[in-house]
């Protein structure tokens, strides 16, 4: 971060300061209130102004949560994105302590708020924003604060995301590879947008300070090791890691090495930008009979291997907003009319690979309608599903090594899951 924050303010919905923490003494709460009043007078809607403002040599960055605003002020050249992200972390910490962040919870917990602001930022520079670590020595009960406590080692340690002395009788690691498929198909059946957003989620129950190494079938890594990449390796784009990953090690030899936090966390996210074949393809035909009724014929086909099966499949089929009295028949699953969505919801509990199912529906239309109301809205067909033990990208966990000085044995569990993200077909 290029510059330091001068102060942090929490204001009510009218821009009045509820609580402030001045870290450098060069911006007052009166200046912050004056700036916010100017914003309210300009448009009336503060969010329409954007999260960054400038007034009299001071840069202000703010976010809104419920009926309060969190705002930082600085006279230096700060990284605005970092400070806005810091404010969102402050909101997460307050919600862990007070369940919900609003004006009343701030007024009822002035002491705890001040203590948290002192620990989360020091002389204008963000420090620890992990609620699990802060909760070890900042308590919401005032009587528990009477005994002087030493800050946990995690706060002063190089590994700030993990405390020392953690012990489990059974050491286990659960690793989930979850991929979300986004597809948009136009009325001609052409795919105009497709990508895969993936995440490697972990739940660790490990004793001590374990060192973990994760190996994937990354093309760059396999080529560097001299291995064969035909049909096995994948190209990962837009990789983002948890702060525990050693980035220097990854840049040098593509090894994902880290000391994991305790509990659940997202180790990394990635994107696959190659063309994706639709896993469930839907074809629909709509036949209108004058102004009395409409018939819809739908064919759903799974386009993945037979050994896999999609669970909790839901196909949302748009229908005219004035339709009624549906008569629906399906070859598999159940379908019901959802008037609040102007759609038929076709649910299939288990959809095996390389299978095809049919739906036929007939809906009544009003006999009297205006000429302008003939054209209906063109809503897309939306599909939801989950395919366990399957990934679109072909990503594989080649190994997961866990090393700890005590030498205990670890049980790693790996699971793959593909789900539908923004999966839309504009075919009707």
């Amino acid at each position: 971060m290029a510059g330091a924050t001068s102060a942090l303010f929490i204001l009510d919905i009218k821009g009045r300061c509820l609580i402030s923490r001045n870290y450098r003494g060069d911006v007052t709460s009166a200046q912050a209130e004056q700036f916010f009043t100017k914003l309210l007078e300009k448009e009336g809607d503060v969010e329409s102004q954007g999260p960054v403002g400038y007034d009299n040599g001071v840069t202000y960055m703010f976010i809104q949560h419920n009926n309060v605003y969190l705002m930082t002020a600085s006279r230096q050249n700060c990284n605005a994105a970092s400070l806005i992200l810091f404010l969102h972390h402050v909101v997460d910490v307050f919600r862990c302590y007070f369940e919900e962040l609003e004006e009343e919870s701030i007024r009822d917990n002035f002491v705890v708020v001040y203590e948290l602001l002192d620990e989360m930022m020091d002389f204008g520079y963000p420090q620890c924003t992990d609620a699990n670590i802060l909760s070890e020595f900042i308590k919401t009960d005032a009587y528990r604060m009477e005994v002087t406590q030493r800050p946990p080692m995690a706060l002063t340690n190089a590994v700030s995301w993990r405390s020392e002395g953690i012990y489990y009788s059974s050491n286990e690691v659960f690793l989930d590879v979850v991929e979300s498929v986004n597809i948009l198909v136009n009325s001609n059946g052409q795919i105009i947008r497709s990508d895969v957003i993936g995440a490697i989620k972990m739940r660790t129950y490990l004793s001590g300070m374990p060192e973990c190494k994760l190996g994937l079938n990354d093309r760059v890594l396999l080529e560097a090791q001299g291995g064969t990449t035909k049909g096995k390796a994948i190209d990962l784009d837009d990789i983002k890691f948890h702060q525990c990953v050693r980035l220097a090690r990854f840049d040098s030899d593509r090894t994902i090495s880290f000391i994991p936090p305790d509990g659940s966390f997202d180790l990394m996210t990635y994107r696959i930008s190659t063309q994706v074949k639709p896993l469930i393809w839907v074809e629909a035909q709509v036949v209108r009979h004058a102004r009395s009724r409409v018939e819809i014929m739908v064919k759903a086909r799974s386009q993945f291997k037979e050994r896999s099966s999609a669970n909790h499949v839901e196909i949302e089929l748009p229908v005219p907003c004035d339709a009624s009295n549906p008569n629906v028949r399906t070859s598999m699953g159940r379908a019901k009319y959802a008037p609040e969505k102007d759609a038929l919801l076709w649910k299939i509990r288990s959809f095996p690979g390389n299978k095809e199912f049919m739906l036929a529906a007939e809906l009544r239309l009003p006999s009297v309608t205006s000429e302008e109301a003939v054209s209906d809205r063109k809503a897309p067909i939306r599909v939801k599903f989950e395919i366990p033990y399957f990934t679109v990208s072909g990503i594989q966990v080649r190994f997961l090594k866990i090393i700890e000085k005590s030498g205990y044995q670890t049980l790693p569990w790996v699971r793959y899951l593909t789900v539908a993200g923004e999966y839309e077909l504009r075919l009707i």
Side-chain angles (χ1 to χ4, degrees), residues 349-367:
R349 180 175 296 179
S350 180
F351 201 139
N354 200 22
K355 292 289 184 179
E356 185 176 282
F357 299 123
M358 305 285 292
L359 175 146
E362 181 179 296
L363 297 98
R364 295 293 178 181
L365 296 175
S367 57

Side-chain angles (χ1 to χ4, degrees), residues 92-132:
D92 293 338
V93 170
F94 285 165
R95 291 182 64 186
C96 288
Y97 271 82
F98 314 137
E99 293 188 3
E100 193 53 69
L101 175 59
E102 53 189 18
E103 182 178 344
E104 184 179 355
S105 60
I106 294 295
R107 293 186 182 277
D108 292 343
N109 297 277
F110 271 156
V111 175
V112 178
V113 170
Y114 271 118
E115 292 181 353
L116 288 172
L117 293 179
D118 280 339
E119 296 299 335
M120 288 189 286
M121 181 170 278
D122 185 20
F123 200 54
Y125 293 98
Q127 301 295 315
C128 177
T129 56
D130 191 324
N132 293 328

